[in-house]
Amino acid sequence: MSRIGKAPIALPAGVTVTVKDNVVTVKGPKGELSQAINPDLNVAVEDGHVVVTRPTDDREHRAQHGLYRALIHNMVVGVSEGYKKEMELVGVGYRATSTGQVLELALGFSHAIYIKLPKEIKVEAKTERNKNPLIILESYDKQLLGQVCAKIRSLRKPEPYKGKGIKFVGEIIRRKSGKSANAK
């Protein structure tokens, strides 16, 4: 039995879950999310908990049991609390500014990069003296937030020699010594 799959999902106050035609819809104070699930799996809402069960112990059913339970859990947490990611720009002259849903990045290229973000994501850019600029992204959709963060990070990945690039706050970049350290 999947240890993740068999754990019931507790529903906080103000969150409702409905299952109709293999689509699970979760509504909460922050928004509404829906996810299509495998018709073989059974999702039941019972006295403040959501339970996902599988019909057999086939490899396919075992794999999807934990997956769909995790996806539903992420939706419940998202519409009740939301998700937040902080990204840091490390590098001389790297800047970030946000106006509405547009994020402007100066990453050492000859031109500025403009990213139009989906309406589900709130963006804030902070710049303090003697600190690296921060981009703070908030959303109730964990998948969309991760996808947008990956897109922003792909514009200038952290490099291992000087550590320059866009990284998550708290992320540790494995550093390499340059060629001068090896020649002796």
Side-chain angles (χ1 to χ4, degrees), residues 64-119:
Q64 294 181 350
H65 187 206
L67 167 75
Y68 285 116
R69 188 264 178 206
L71 291 176
I72 294 169
H73 180 262
N74 288 343
M75 292 192 309
V76 169
V77 171
V79 298
S80 60
E81 300 167 24
Y83 291 99
K84 180 178 179 180
K85 293 263 190 184
E86 294 183 355
M87 303 180 87
E88 185 178 8
L89 279 66
V90 181
V92 177
Y94 287 12
R95 290 187 317 278
T97 54
S98 63
T99 48
Q101 290 300 103
V102 177
L103 180 65
E104 180 187 353
L105 299 170
L107 299 174
F109 297 116
S110 61
H111 57 283
I113 299 171
Y114 296 92
I115 301 174
K116 186 169 182 353
L117 298 171
K119 65 180 185 315

Side-chain angles (χ1 to χ4, degrees), residues 153 158-161 163 166-168 171-175:
R153 182 185 158 100
E159 53 96 17
Y161 297 102
I166 302 173
K167 68 181 190 100
F168 292 103
E171 180 183 5
I172 297 168
I173 306 299
R174 290 189 62 196
R175 303 291 293 271

Side-chain angles (χ1 to χ4, degrees), residues 117-182:
L117 298 171
K119 65 180 185 315
E120 293 91 355
I121 293 183
K122 292 188 193 102
V123 64
E124 180 186 351
K126 280 187 183 175
T127 306
E128 294 180 28
R129 249 179 105 73
N130 298 330
K131 288 192 178 177
N132 292 327
L134 286 177
I135 303 169
I136 300 165
L137 300 164
E138 293 184 55
S139 179
Y140 57 87
D141 190 345
K142 187 175 186 178
Q143 292 180 32
L144 181 66
L145 184 65
Q147 193 173 359
V148 169
C149 286
K151 177 64 180 167
I152 292 171
R153 182 185 158 100
S154 73
L155 298 171
R156 190 64 104 171
K157 285 189 178 151
E159 53 96 17
Y161 297 102
K162 290 186 178 178
K164 291 169 54 171
I166 302 173
K167 68 181 190 100
F168 292 103
V169 171
E171 180 183 5
I172 297 168
I173 306 299
R174 290 189 62 196
R175 303 291 293 271
K176 291 182 179 178
S177 59
K179 61 183 180 181
S180 63
N182 295 335

